[in-house]
Amino acid sequence: MISGKAKVCGIMAYPVEHSFSPLMHNFYAGELGLDFAYVPFKVPEDRVEDAIKGAYALNIAGMNITVPHKQRVIPYLKDLDPAARAIGAVNTLVRVEGGYKGYNTDAPGLWRAMEEAEMTVKGRDCLLIGAGGAAKAAAYVLGSQGAASVTILNRSEGRARELAGEMNRCFGREFMNPLALGDYQKLPDRQWLAVQTTSVGMHPDTGHALVEDKAFYRKISCAVDIVYTPARTRFMALVEEAGGRAFGGLDMLIYQGIQAFELWNPGLRVPSESVEKVRQLMRKELEQ
Ligand code: ATR
């Protein structure tokens, strides 16, 4: 039940209609018996500042921020978490005195999903596929979890070089290197841990992977694709066919949400049974 004392949160995006966040957060609130409501807000690019000021005036406790606003919100925040600053993107706002503090829960969400899949990053040679916004959060995870090296494979080599440079500066060690897509055969024969962050293979273009060569996949022992539609991407299928383990992006989506929910409700933990129920719910939704 939502009373006059309800804590109100929401998601700011454009478009917002396809978001699963209202379903997830309202489900957790129901499971935990909280007086809490989470609503979608469709905000065009030129109204982001107004929306943040308006949300604060309306006493909104927290907000998720997604495409295309994750960078655009930053100038309008009162405070910024250091990891969100390093990643350069914010997906969660928490109300503080005088405004909102920005966090990035995509990175800890990805890490929690990788941990649950028993993917060890410490001391590993990692392959990061893609160099866009999602790749930045993944690069931060690989760096902060102690990867020995990170090779960034991307269609545009310049973007990969830029990301590698930024992360090498951020972590104070030279361990990230760019690799142009056309040079993928130069990848040394090792047991790579791969994180796929491009939109290639995402619904409705599910028949594609960035690299089709089977020899490439024999070098990958373990991989996560952050795409969650379809549940099994062509990239995952190619990794598995070559004998590696592969995971999709659904758990990252779920755990970034839980991290946000727990930031808005300090002291509360979403029980693992509720996480499992949401996983089943989401699988059903995604099948439709
Ligand atoms: P996001 O925030 O979702 O990461 P983005 O910043 O636009 O979105 O980045 C998209 C990533 O997918 C990039 O690595 C992009 O490669 P480029 O940097 O070369 O553009 C990659 N990508 C998207 N579509 C692609 C395609 N058809 N072929 C190869 N790479 C693609």
Side-chain angles (χ1 to χ4, degrees):
M1 192 200 70
I2 300 166
S3 82
K5 294 183 201 138
K7 184 180 275 188
V8 180
C9 291
I11 178 163
M12 197 191 286
Y14 195 90
V16 75
E17 290 83 350
H18 303 297
S19 173
F20 289 108
S21 294
L23 182 152
M24 292 194 288
H25 290 284
N26 290 314
F27 183 83
Y28 299 136
E31 286 274 296
L32 291 161
L34 302 183
D35 196 359
F36 177 96
Y38 184 103
V39 286
F41 294 112
K42 187 171 172 178
V43 179
E45 295 182 15
D46 59 344
R47 302 306 300 274
V48 168
E49 183 178 7
D50 290 345
I52 289 182
K53 284 184 181 157
Y56 189 75
L58 289 166
N59 197 35
I60 286 172
M63 198 74 95
N64 276 137
I65 307 293
T66 189
V67 180
H69 303 321
K70 285 185 183 185
Q71 287 155 355
R72 194 168 291 113
V73 291
I74 294 176
Y76 310 116
L77 302 179
K78 187 82 187 163
D79 197 5
L80 192 55
D81 176 69
R85 188 186 303 277
I87 296 165
V90 159
N91 79 325
T92 302
L93 307 188
V94 176
R95 188 182 182 86
V96 292
E97 188 60 43
Y100 291 97
K101 179 169 179 179
Y103 292 84
N104 185 304
T105 70
D106 289 328
L110 172 62
W111 177 232
R112 189 157 161 192
M114 289 173 76
E115 270 188 306
E116 302 241 326
E118 296 179 351
M119 292 174 79
T120 319
V121 166
K122 200 169 172 54
R124 288 288 298 268
D125 291 316
C126 300
L127 178 66
L128 179 61
I129 303 172
K136 220 163 160 185
Y140 186 81
V141 168
L142 299 177
S144 53
Q145 294 304 327
S149 73
V150 178
T151 300
I152 307 176
L153 182 69
N154 196 47
R155 177 177 59 184
S156 125
E157 193 187 2
R159 233 173 151 194
R161 191 176 307 112
E162 215 171 281
L163 178 57
E166 243 175 76
M167 289 291 142
N168 288 339
R169 276 192 296 282
C170 169
F171 290 102
R173 57 188 179 114
E174 290 289 317
F175 69 120
M176 296 211 188
N177 298 290
L179 182 67
L181 185 55
D183 289 339
Y184 75 85
Q185 282 142 322
K186 293 183 185 162
L187 197 69
D189 283 329
R190 283 184 208 150
Q191 293 294 295
W192 294 86
L193 179 153
V195 183
Q196 200 302 118
T197 69
T198 75
S199 49
V200 179
M202 192 187 282
H203 178 80
D205 289 321
T206 57
H208 303 281
L210 197 63
V211 178
E212 286 289 339
D213 186 350
K214 289 189 170 26
F216 171 75
Y217 291 93
R218 286 196 284 273
K219 298 176 186 179
I220 298 174
S221 64
C222 190
V224 59
D225 191 337
I226 70 163
V227 171
Y228 56 88
T229 50
R232 188 167 185 258
T233 59
R234 169 127 184 95
F235 172 79
M236 288 167 66
L238 286 162
V239 169
E240 285 176 345
E241 280 162 20
R245 293 194 300 143
F247 304 91
L250 180 58
D251 275 5
M252 176 187 176
L253 175 71
I254 290 174
Y255 290 128
Q256 65 73 32
I258 289 174
Q259 298 272 351
F261 189 84
E262 291 175 351
L263 279 171
W264 300 323
N265 297 288
L268 271 185
R269 299 286 293 172
V270 177
S272 51
E273 306 85 72
S274 307
V275 179
E276 188 47 38
K277 283 184 196 167
V278 157
R279 194 176 281 122
Q280 299 307 335
L281 204 68
M282 292 286 295
R283 282 199 184 122
K284 229 181 255 164
E285 286 286 322
L286 291 169
E287 272 168 21
Q288 284 169 8

